[in-house]
């Protein structure tokens, strides 16, 4: 049994992670602003993670074996966490994102076409941190989501006092209405009603992960391994938007209809004209076993359609 603190953990795979940690017999504490209560048997502390004094007061004298941070989006938030948890935990796991590799948001090394990127493409140990930028502004934070995550990783990597693991998640899908972004439902509904799927002339593939698999990986990273440093989290198999739509079509019985967008025009949420795929080799070598996206995505799409139909009715 380990003492584990989850910051956030109120929805989607974070909520599932809390449940699985508790079911595995760990002593779990959840910190959030009070909008969502954790399951019975899980300690609940109410505090705003941006308020250092309130967070310190809520924690009191508590210490943990592991902290899992689900809601760290900026270097300012990371700096607060680094100070508050420096002497409270030996391991800090942060949910990061595939978007740290997006070449549209940073000057990153060029990657050969068709080559999934490895963790060393973005090294948080040397990434520049700018705490003076307006990270407290919600609009600025949203517009600089990828850079916020890169700099948050950098702050926690250099903090010292605990081993740090940024888990760079692929696009998370599955769970019906739990998948709050609605991106899979967008494509499932288009294909099922014969709508037009917008695509780029030269589509690039990306990677995905099922929400339950993401919870499993965070559980593993928190309790079953002592590695540190970035790790990519994605199911096996690269898909571009045409291949994704084809898998959805296997459940809807309708063939996708495509429209190639004009130069400079945006396509859909999983349509990419730039390199956007990553390798999961490091996690495999460390002992985690991934599923295949093609095996679970059709059922996830059907689940999204079912949730959409229920909501509409």
């Amino acid at each position: 049994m380990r003492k584990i603190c989850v910051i956030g953990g109120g929805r989607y795979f974070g909520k599932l992670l809390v449940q699985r940690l508790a079911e595995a017999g760990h002593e779990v504490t959840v910190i959030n602003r009070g909008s969502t209560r954790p399951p019975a048997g899980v300690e609940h502390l109410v505090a705003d993670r941006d308020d250092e004094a309130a967070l310190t007061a809520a924690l009191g004298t508590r210490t943990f074996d592991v902290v899992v941070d689900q809601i760290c989006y900026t270097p300012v938030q990371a700096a607060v966490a680094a100070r508050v948890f420096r002497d409270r935990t030996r391991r800090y796991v942060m949910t990061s994102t595939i978007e740290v590799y997006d070449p549209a948001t940073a000057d990153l090394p060029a990657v050969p076409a068709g080559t999934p990127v490895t963790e060393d493409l973005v090294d948080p140990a040397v990434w520049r941190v700018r705490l003076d930028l307006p990270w407290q502004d919600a609009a600025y934070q949203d517009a600089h989501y990828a850079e916020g995550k890169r700099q948050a990783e950098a702050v926690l990597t250099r903090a010292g006092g605990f081993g740090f693991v940024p888990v760079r998640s692929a696009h998370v899908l599955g769970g019906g209405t739990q998948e709050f972004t609605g991106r899979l439902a967008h494509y499932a509904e288009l294909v099922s009603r014969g709508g037009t799927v917008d695509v780029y002339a030269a589509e690039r593939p990306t990677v995905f992960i099922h929400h339950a698999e993401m919870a499993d990986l965070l559980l593993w990273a928190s309790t079953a391994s002592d590695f540190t440093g970035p790790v990519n989290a994605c199911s096996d198999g690269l898909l571009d938007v045409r291949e994704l739509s084809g898998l959805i079509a296997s459940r809807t019985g309708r063939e996708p209809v495509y429209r190639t967008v004009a130069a400079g025009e945006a396509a859909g949420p999983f349509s990419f004209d730039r390199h956007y795929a990553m390798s999961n080799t490091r996690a495999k070598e460390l002992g985690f076993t991934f599923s295949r996206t093609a095996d679970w995505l059709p059922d996830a799409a059907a689940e999204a359609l079912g949730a959409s139909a229920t909501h509409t009715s």
Side-chain angles (χ1 to χ4, degrees):
M1 182 183 75
R2 298 190 183 189
K3 295 172 65 177
I4 300 177
C5 174
V6 179
I7 305 175
R11 64 179 181 176
Y12 208 26
F13 60 86
K15 183 176 182 180
L16 184 56
L17 170 66
V18 170
Q19 294 171 349
R20 293 191 173 176
L21 286 167
E23 289 167 358
H26 300 292
E27 185 179 333
V28 185
T29 298
V30 167
I31 301 175
N32 60 34
R33 290 183 294 186
S35 58
T36 305
R37 294 193 60 81
V42 172
E43 183 181 36
H44 186 203
L45 303 180
V46 177
D48 184 343
R49 60 107 25 90
D50 295 332
D51 186 333
E52 186 169 348
L55 181 58
T56 301
L59 287 166
T61 61
R62 292 172 180 82
T63 60
F64 307 96
D65 296 303
V66 186
V67 173
V68 184
D69 195 339
Q70 290 286 92
I71 52 171
C72 187
Y73 302 112
T74 74
V76 174
Q77 291 177 326
V80 168
R83 291 191 293 268
V84 171
F85 288 99
R86 179 179 177 83
D87 297 319
R88 295 180 186 270
T89 189
R90 64 177 184 83
R91 186 170 181 79
Y92 202 103
V93 178
M94 170 190 151
T95 300
S96 189
T97 174
I98 187 177
E99 293 192 37
V100 301
Y101 301 121
D102 186 356
T105 62
D107 185 15
L108 299 173
V111 178
T115 304
V117 299
T118 55
E119 289 83 355
D120 57 3
L121 187 74
V122 175
D123 182 358
V126 299
W127 199 264
R128 186 184 183 194
V129 173
R130 292 284 308 276
L131 295 173
D132 59 318
L133 296 174
W135 295 111
Q136 288 83 359
D137 181 80
Y140 182 88
Q141 187 182 129
D142 287 345
H144 296 83
Y145 173 73
E147 182 60 17
K149 285 289 192 179
R150 284 188 287 259
Q151 292 193 28
E153 287 188 19
V155 169
L156 289 164
T157 295
R158 301 169 200 171
F162 46 69
F164 176 55
V165 181
V167 177
R168 295 170 176 170
S169 170
H171 309 289
V172 185
L173 300 178
T177 55
Q178 295 179 68
E179 200 270 284
F180 57 90
T181 69
R183 294 174 298 182
L184 181 57
H186 165 78
Y187 285 105
E189 290 167 7
L190 277 179
V191 174
S192 68
R193 69 170 188 262
T196 300
V197 178
D198 288 343
V199 298
Y200 291 112
E203 280 289 340
R204 296 293 183 90
T206 189
V207 285
F208 303 90
I209 190 166
H210 193 273
H211 74 111
E213 187 166 38
M214 187 62 193
D216 288 340
L217 189 137
L218 288 169
L219 176 66
W220 165 77
S222 303
T223 65
S225 183
D226 291 325
F227 72 90
T228 58
V231 63
N232 293 337
C234 57
S235 302
D236 287 337
L238 281 64
L239 297 177
D240 64 26
V241 72
R242 292 176 182 270
E243 292 164 327
L244 179 141
S245 299
L247 288 171
I248 293 171
S250 71
R251 285 293 186 276
T252 64
R254 300 190 69 162
E255 287 301 310
V257 178
Y258 300 107
R259 180 184 76 91
T260 301
V261 300
E265 183 182 355
F270 291 141
S271 194
F272 299 104
D273 58 357
R274 58 195 185 276
H275 195 285
Y276 221 159
M278 59 186 184
S279 167
N280 60 15
T281 298
R282 184 177 191 227
K284 287 181 176 179
E285 290 176 346
L286 289 166
F288 191 81
T289 301
F290 289 96
S291 66
R292 293 179 67 253
T293 302
D295 290 339
W296 57 258
L297 195 144
D299 287 343
E303 193 176 24
L305 280 171
S308 177
T310 300
H311 177 75
T312 302
S313 64

